[in-house]
Amino acid sequence: MLTQLIEKEKADTCGDQSRRNYLETHKTRFADILRLCRKQVPDASARVLDIGRSELTAHLLNFYRNVHTLGLDPLIDDGGHRETSEMVTVPHITFDLLNSQSVLSWPDCERFDLIVFSEVIEHLCVAPEFVLAALSSLLTERGILICTTPNAAEIGKRVRLVFGQNPYERLRLYSTNPGHVREYTRQELCSIAESVGLRCLQHSYFNWIQDKSGNKLKMGAMKILRAFPSFRPFQICVLAREL
């Protein structure tokens, strides 16, 4: 019975259709992140590291010539965020972020001018201080770390709580592709970054995924409420090392 449950979840969250759906749903996010990256690091020859190989990597390659990825071994990583484009020529650093609590295991490689850490931190069952410290160690002296993650306090989650519904997903059966283990507020994210020597240069809220439920009243109400930035479902934090 448990094996059947695992296989069904794996098919729903890691299959080709899941990857195509993820790409369609997040293409606006990919475009906005690339624009922000170009603004923060305008040099197309900069060394760039994308955490977790995904279709976002392909978007970064549209401008940057020297893009690397870091994460699980692509041969065993079949998570739903994985890319649909061919990326065999993109250099990959194999490192499980869950091992970040062991400083001796951190990757020993060249530094990067830009690290893109998008929609990953919420999937990790390890203290984020370890992860951000590990990534900070991979930045050049004036390098930029761009972190995007869901907003734990967005209005949709608050409304669901009012009606007695849990706004967060359950822990998944297929641990190789974990869902959202822990989401963060702006205050938490900035405080965690500051505690490991990263300063926040910029923070913004976004509403990348539009409600397509068909309920016009609900869609209209959410559009009005999300005019308030802190009620939006996603956030971007631009970080740099303390000099």
Side-chain angles (χ1 to χ4, degrees):
M1 179 179 63
L2 289 172
T3 300
Q4 290 175 349
L5 288 172
I6 293 171
E7 289 303 317
K8 182 181 184 305
E9 182 186 273
K10 182 178 177 180
D12 291 341
T13 60
C14 302
D16 289 339
Q17 186 59 49
S18 173
R19 295 186 185 188
R20 287 193 291 270
N21 290 343
Y22 187 82
L23 172 58
E24 178 63 26
T25 302
H26 288 268
K27 60 184 181 182
T28 301
R29 172 172 68 88
F30 295 159
D32 280 352
I33 291 173
L34 178 57
R35 279 193 290 270
L36 178 61
C37 289
R38 294 183 63 171
K39 179 180 179 181
Q40 293 290 332
V41 183
D43 182 3
S45 64
R47 282 178 54 83
V48 178
L49 181 65
D50 187 19
I51 308 301
R53 186 174 291 212
S54 73
E55 202 61 27
L56 174 57
T57 311
H59 276 65
L60 295 171
L61 286 165
N62 287 330
F63 178 72
Y64 296 105
R65 299 190 295 271
N66 192 3
V67 177
H68 296 61
T69 57
L70 179 147
L72 298 176
D73 185 340
L75 296 178
I76 64 170
D77 178 16
D78 56 1
H81 290 201
R82 283 294 304 276
E83 75 281 0
T84 57
S85 302
E86 185 64 52
M87 296 184 190
V88 292
T89 60
V90 177
H92 182 76
I93 301 168
T94 298
F95 178 66
D96 187 345
L97 292 173
L98 298 183
N99 294 328
S100 298
Q101 55 192 322
S102 172
V103 176
L104 294 178
S105 73
W106 290 0
D108 182 14
C109 59
E110 291 188 54
R111 302 289 183 89
F112 294 89
D113 305 301
L114 170 65
I115 296 178
V116 182
F117 188 36
S118 183
E119 307 306 298
V120 175
I121 194 170
E122 67 275 9
H123 294 272
L124 304 175
C125 57
V126 64
E129 288 85 350
F130 290 121
V131 180
L132 289 178
L135 297 183
S136 175
S137 74
L138 299 178
L139 284 172
T140 58
E141 184 178 351
R142 298 189 178 277
I144 295 294
L145 170 60
I146 293 179
C147 177
T148 87
T149 187
N151 172 19
E154 64 107 349
I155 189 60
K157 297 185 178 77
R158 301 187 195 199
V159 170
R160 288 195 288 277
L161 276 174
V162 168
F163 287 97
Q165 300 174 8
N166 193 328
Y168 302 104
E169 69 175 302
R170 288 157 45 185
L171 296 179
R172 292 184 183 177
L173 294 152
Y174 184 52
S175 60
T176 304
N177 182 36
H180 292 193
V181 177
R182 175 64 153 82
E183 296 183 3
Y184 301 90
T185 64
R186 171 185 179 174
Q187 182 180 10
E188 285 181 314
L189 194 60
C190 293
S191 176
I192 291 165
E194 182 180 347
S195 72
V196 294
L198 290 166
R199 68 187 191 279
C200 180
L201 304 180
Q202 176 183 328
H203 183 282
S204 305
Y205 292 103
F206 289 85
N207 183 25
W208 285 312
I209 301 177
Q210 302 300 317
D211 185 0
K212 298 180 181 179
S213 64
N215 187 322
K216 293 184 178 180
L217 181 61
K218 176 184 175 183
M219 292 167 62
M222 283 299 182
K223 185 175 182 180
I224 292 171
L225 289 170
R226 284 172 175 160
F228 296 91
S230 61
F231 282 177
R232 294 170 189 165
F234 294 94
Q235 56 181 321
I236 287 182
C237 196
V238 180
L239 303 167
R241 296 170 64 182
E242 292 285 2
L243 299 178

